Amino acid sequence: QKEVEQNSGPLSVPEGAIASLNCTYSDRGSQSFFWYRQYSGKSPELIMFIYSNGDKEDGRFTAQLNKASQYVSLLIRDSQPSDSATYLCAVNRPGGSYIPTFGRGTSLIVHP
Amino acid sequence: DGGITQSPKYLFRKEGQNVTLSCEQNLNHDAMYWYRQDPGQGLRLIYYSQIVNDFQKGDIAEGYSVSREKKESFPLTVTSAQKNPTAFYLCASLTGFGSYTFGSGTRLTVV
């Protein structure tokens, strides 16, 4: 069973700080990587996706991918209390089936 | 607005009872998925369907069944063979980016 590992947290950061969320994966053939945000009691929603090595920025969010080291990270700049949620890392299984393996998620708490 | 509608939001099942969770989408997506989420756990794949009248078992299909008679609909039945069904059930469809759009979920509790 291929694994996607995340620190469960909680990760606590002050408002306005940078939150750094990390994810490692075991299958070297993985090509597509996703970050979902899940508020308590709600369903996940897509934050970002990344396919190529390097950084991808979207507003306050930056996804970073390093395939050689098999990790993907999500940076949240100027963190707000509304960013408090669980962040799920998802890695598509190789073979084109578009079925991801999900990590267990990292709980982020942004305190005022 | 396009999206995925799951119903009911809360469902209570008695021992030995079969229950069906509804999932309807108006996104015109071909592929649909059912996941189960337990507290502190990642999402686990139950069943998926890439096209009408075809579906595949996921990682934890035992005790569940599905049908895909229409593109818009992918209902999940939790049978009495599923011994620990209490969980949050999520239906999803595949977007053009290879990511998922999720429904709002059904929380199933055994009473």
Side-chain angles (χ1 to χ4, degrees):
Chain A
Q1 179 74 23
K2 301 301 182 181
E3 299 290 337
V4 175
E5 300 288 343
Q6 294 182 258
N7 188 321
S8 62
L11 173 65
S12 182
V13 301
E15 185 174 356
I18 296 175
S20 178
L21 305 164
N22 299 312
C23 170
T24 60
Y25 61 95
S26 61
D27 195 330
R28 285 195 169 274
S30 300
Q31 297 292 326
S32 308
F33 307 86
F34 306 87
W35 283 100
Y36 292 86
R37 177 176 63 198
Q38 186 175 23
Y39 291 114
S40 180
K42 304 296 185 182
S43 60
E45 56 180 334
L46 181 70
I47 297 295
M48 292 196 69
F49 61 88
I50 187 167
Y51 301 147
S52 304
N53 274 331
D55 295 359
K56 179 182 179 182
E57 187 174 317
D58 184 0
R60 295 187 296 113
F61 299 96
T62 299
Q64 299 175 318
L65 175 60
N66 184 321
K67 289 185 179 180
S69 300
Q70 296 177 243
Y71 82 79
V72 56
S73 61
L74 179 69
L75 301 178
I76 306 175
R77 291 182 300 280
D78 188 24
S79 296
Q80 301 297 310
S82 58
D83 294 326
S84 298
T86 296
Y87 289 81
L88 303 174
C89 173
V91 178
N92 272 5
R93 306 174 194 185
S97 65
Y98 297 107
I99 296 175
T101 299
F102 285 86
R104 296 187 176 191
T106 296
S107 174
L108 173 66
I109 299 172
V110 181
H111 53 86
Chain B
D1 286 335
I4 298 178
T5 301
Q6 288 188 244
S7 62
K9 188 171 183 178
Y10 299 97
L11 186 58
F12 299 92
R13 192 193 92 165
K14 295 180 180 179
E15 294 284 349
Q17 188 178 41
N18 292 354
V19 292
T20 298
L21 284 60
S22 172
C23 176
E24 302 279 334
Q25 57 107 349
N26 61 2
L27 299 166
N28 200 34
H29 289 165
D30 289 313
M32 299 183 72
Y33 307 79
W34 274 105
Y35 282 88
R36 168 180 174 147
Q37 187 176 37
D38 296 280
Q41 302 290 321
L43 276 65
R44 292 185 290 167
L45 181 65
I46 304 172
Y47 267 99
Y48 65 100
S49 169
Q50 295 179 308
I51 196 168
V52 174
N53 292 323
D54 186 51
F55 49 83
Q56 308 295 328
K57 292 182 179 180
D59 301 318
I60 56 165
E62 185 175 351
Y64 301 96
S65 66
V66 294
S67 63
R68 187 84 187 278
E69 298 177 1
K70 300 186 300 181
K71 187 175 185 177
E72 301 79 14
S73 179
F74 191 39
L76 173 74
T77 296
V78 184
T79 74
S80 57
Q82 172 49 240
K83 298 307 179 187
N84 185 23
T86 294
F88 188 43
Y89 289 85
L90 290 160
C91 179
S93 65
L94 183 68
T95 74
F97 299 108
S99 64
Y100 284 172
T101 295
F102 287 91
S104 57
T106 292
R107 198 164 297 277
L108 174 63
T109 303
V110 174
V111 296

